[in-house]
Amino acid sequence: MPARAAQASHDSSPQLLASNISRIFQQAQDSSTNHQKNYVALHKIHAQLAQHTESLQKGKLFKMIGERMFEDTFLSLLMQALSLKKGMRTADCIVKFVAGYTKFVNEKAAEDRNLDEDEDDDNPTTASRFTARLLKHLLKGFVAKDKNVRFRVLQSVAEMISHLGEIDEDIYASLRTALIERVSDKEATVRYQAVISLSKLCGSENLSELEEGESILEILIDTLAHDPSPEVRKAVLVNFPVTVETLPAILDRTRDTDAIIRKVVYNAVLAKHTTQGEEGEKETLGITHPRVLSIAQRELIVKNGLGDREPAVRAAAASLITTWVHEGQSGVVSLLSLFDLGQGTVAADALMSVFTTDVAIFNDFEFGDQYWTTLTPETAFLARVFVEHCKATKDETRLEATLPVVTEIAFHIQQAYSLLSEFPGNHVNLEDDNEFARREDEKIDRELVLAELLKLAVNLDYSDEIGRRKTFQLVRDILRSENLPEVLVAPCLDVLRKLSTSERDLIRVVVETVQEIRDSVYGDNEDEMEDASRGPDEDSSFNETPKKPRPARNPVEDMSPEQKVRVDQVDLRSLSLCIGMLERVDGTFEENIMLDGILKELIIPSVQRKDIAFRESGLKCLGLCCLIAKRLALQSINLFMNQIPSSPTSIKMILLQILFDIFMKHETEMFKNQGNNLEALTDFLMHHIKEEQDPKAKAILCEGTAKLVLSGMITDVNVIKNLIKTYLSPLTADNQELRQCLAFFLQMYSYSSPSNQRRMREIFIHVFLDVSEDRKEAGKSDEEPDMVSSAQVAAMFLDWTDPLRLSHAIGQQVGNGVDEAVQLDMAEDVLRTLFEKDLKEDKRVLCQLLNRLYIPDVVDDYKIRSVKLLIDHLRTRRPLRDSVCNTALTKFDTTIIKKFEEQLKHSTEEEFRKLEELNELFEFLDSIIPLDDDEIIDLDAPRKKGRKRLAHSSFSIGTRGLHCTFQAL
């Protein structure tokens, strides 16, 4: 049974009433179930004590001695809980009780004020005076040295901040300033409570009253983006308001490095705010409703969610998208109307997730004859994705029952193409903007319908020869159209690849099509142009192409400006065809000699042009050719590398992608008998990773380099070190694509092999010291960036070098191929570094790291002796003056002695010096010179005990109470 609420004594003696408060706290610390009863009991005592006053100046003034006694007792009891560590249930209950009572007493004061209409609202009340003093007292603990005190104080404020009632402006300003300062606290638990409090304050902040500095909302957005602790970022994400201003920052967290935060964005933020309105009222569209979001925001949500590598995040995103479907009036069609169906695969991915998540939606679809005659972009898209889903799930029975025969689909494709061809795009009245926009939208819709039908045709069963021949001839005629929209090229090529008997047939058809459309604009004979554009007769086989004489071509210099524009349009169209064809080819260049003519006549001249559009398309074609032509790749690699520094961003990204694709495809040929090439490549990548300013290009560089390292092509430790420093650099804090890529790579690399983990151990100290030096240099500048702390760097390497994580990843036990002593070697590196005299604040981090390392039960004698010798010489030659460092080192030394007592037994330094394996260690130790004579310490000398004076207050609350003291603030 829950404890009974302690009742106030009928004796109104202040001392007796105050003693009853102790019993109430005694009960409150045990369980939160009795808090409500104890609020009433405590408030009754509070009210009785408030009646005890002392008259001053002949009754003109009154001294609130009773209130003062209540507040002193209350604060004394609260202070006993403030020094307790996080996780202690008694302290958590007391903090919740204090916050609950603050809410209770202020609500009671508001009720009394409403009943008394004559009372002035500005007059202070017992509740307001109590709240003000409690806040002032807690504010002192914001700067306490004890991290537990800071945590408990901030926790108390976070619990009660929504129920403070009316407080003085000066107290509010002090509270706001103190909370903002704690956002930069070194302890994540303190920052966590600070951002919770600020999140509750930011809704009531008046921006017009701010004199200087950032608003609370701006500080929270910055914390959400840059705080190193996932828990702190999660606290901001869940608690601060979702508005038009904060939505971009929230959506950026869909690329957060922590999977839990990415999941929270979907199921705790976006899903929660889809609709708004109180229970029982009509719901309205919320800030994250799909119809309120922009197309870019909707696509970002779907792309990042369904493309996440964590299954839990993908499931949360799929659940959100299903919710969007149920929110729409027309179900799936309403969902599709929210996306740009002609761009990317976002809409298809969203629809696929709906089919998978809610099977009932998929089972309800029926496609009758009327459906195919009244196609819209959304319905055509739906039919295509439905077919792809059936193919993916191998539901052939449902597919056959739903789709019409191939000939009928070909008829619908022809009808859609005819509607597009008849569209009077060039006859639109340009003076009427509304009419122009309407016609453009209608044209785009017709293109999308045709594109979706062509994509659907790829998955048809072409066992019907008549339907097969008709579809082939139709698609080939479409490709010959000079005005064919760009969005239709890829679907047409996919259908041709499906219908072609081999890659050679596909290449032949596309190359002949390119030659025909180019001859039609380069030739000057109208009859020849007609012959070039005329397709084969109906009786010809789709695997055969009639031979036609190519018309003579006029030089470009002799053409009119109009002809030159037309020639450029056709050449770009030809390049687009070549890109699509080459993306669908896996054979070698030498097996398809017809590609040689296209390369010399079209691709290389396009690369050499200054026009960016031609260079981009030409480089894509050339890069694709290099993937199937080893000799061409070797000849072109220098061209690509030399053009990267001076190229604009769009071309630079294409060049980098080509470069990495070639290295991955032709590794053997690129570096066979050419050792200098690998070294030159390494220098090239390291230089550009360091100097590149464009975030997208930098992300491509890091991603490509990471792939080369994972494949084993690049083994230089400096490259890995460079990638880690890029990952930790504050300059890449906003580059979420780069951060997420490298976060995944560094874990994958560390847990893929023991040699990789040893390599990470070797570079730890170098990276640790480099980052520390960079932080010092940044501190000298006027604008200090948010640098990653030394503790964070140490924690990352502790995780990356954990042999237990490696054994779990590769499925082997520790010791069976896994170097279980890797972190013992890391301890030796740390101990050697502690001899450095320039390290100050970093020594504490390194010393604390020693006790977090994994030390196996069985290790080599030489290794454990080396560690022990380093500890002893460090304490004698470079004694640690910092108490925290000395305590951590002593703890580590004790662990080593206790764990390896037998191996260290009866061993002296003189005996160790005789061992050849320890020669290098003693050379290092002998090179260490004490800073002065007083620095050498005798470890066996007794310590002098000094007297300590500790100012503290304590208040006993019984044998079951909180037995602790709180150092005075």
Side-chain angles (χ1 to χ4, degrees), residues 180-192:
I180 291 175
E181 290 177 353
R182 288 307 96 202
V183 172
S184 302
D185 196 282
K186 63 181 180 179
E187 296 295 331
T189 54
V190 177
R191 300 198 303 274
Y192 177 89

Side-chain angles (χ1 to χ4, degrees), residues 676-714:
N676 294 332
N677 280 6
L678 186 57
E679 184 178 351
L681 170 63
T682 302
D683 294 339
F684 173 86
L685 294 176
M686 291 180 62
H687 171 76
H688 283 280
I689 289 174
K690 182 178 180 180
E691 300 296 332
E692 183 58 55
Q693 300 298 320
D694 183 80
K696 291 186 177 180
K698 199 179 190 77
I700 293 175
L701 271 167
C702 291
E703 181 181 354
T705 306
K707 289 180 180 178
L708 297 181
V709 173
L710 281 177
S711 67
M713 189 184 307
I714 293 180

Side-chain angles (χ1 to χ4, degrees), residues 190-205:
V190 177
R191 300 198 303 274
Y192 177 89
Q193 300 296 338
V195 298
I196 290 178
S197 299
L198 288 174
S199 298
K200 297 176 181 178
L201 282 182
C202 69
S204 60
E205 186 176 46

Side-chain angles (χ1 to χ4, degrees), residues 130-159:
F130 167 77
T131 304
R133 187 176 177 199
L134 177 60
L135 278 178
K136 289 179 181 178
H137 185 77
L138 291 175
L139 283 172
K140 297 176 183 178
F142 276 47
V143 293
K145 290 184 177 181
D146 189 344
K147 65 180 180 181
N148 295 321
V149 173
R150 297 199 307 277
F151 164 70
R152 290 297 179 186
V153 167
L154 267 296
Q155 184 189 22
S156 301
V157 172
E159 289 282 350

Side-chain angles (χ1 to χ4, degrees), residues 58-71:
K58 298 180 180 181
K60 295 181 180 180
L61 298 176
F62 293 94
K63 185 176 182 181
M64 306 293 184
I65 57 174
E67 285 187 16
R68 188 73 178 182
M69 181 178 294
F70 177 86
E71 293 165 1

Side-chain angles (χ1 to χ4, degrees), residues 717-749:
V717 174
N718 291 322
V719 175
I720 305 169
K721 189 190 306 183
N722 209 345
L723 288 175
I724 296 175
K725 292 182 67 176
T726 303
Y727 174 65
L728 300 175
S729 171
L731 300 178
T732 62
D734 295 327
N735 195 340
Q736 292 299 320
E737 184 178 357
L738 180 147
R739 282 288 179 99
Q740 192 172 7
C741 169
L742 290 183
F744 178 75
F745 157 73
L746 291 171
Q747 290 190 14
M748 178 67 71
Y749 178 80

Side-chain angles (χ1 to χ4, degrees), residues 184-251:
S184 302
D185 196 282
K186 63 181 180 179
E187 296 295 331
T189 54
V190 177
R191 300 198 303 274
Y192 177 89
Q193 300 296 338
V195 298
I196 290 178
S197 299
L198 288 174
S199 298
K200 297 176 181 178
L201 282 182
C202 69
S204 60
E205 186 176 46
N206 190 348
L207 298 180
S208 61
E209 297 178 358
L210 292 179
E211 296 181 359
E212 59 181 12
E214 293 180 304
S215 67
I216 292 178
L217 195 59
E218 291 173 336
I219 293 172
L220 290 175
I221 291 175
D222 183 72
T223 303
L224 179 63
H226 301 111
D227 195 280
S229 171
E231 289 299 322
V232 176
R233 299 198 301 274
K234 179 182 175 182
V236 178
L237 191 62
V238 173
N239 290 283
F240 83 149
V242 180
T243 63
V244 176
E245 292 77 17
T246 61
L247 188 58
I250 292 172
L251 296 183

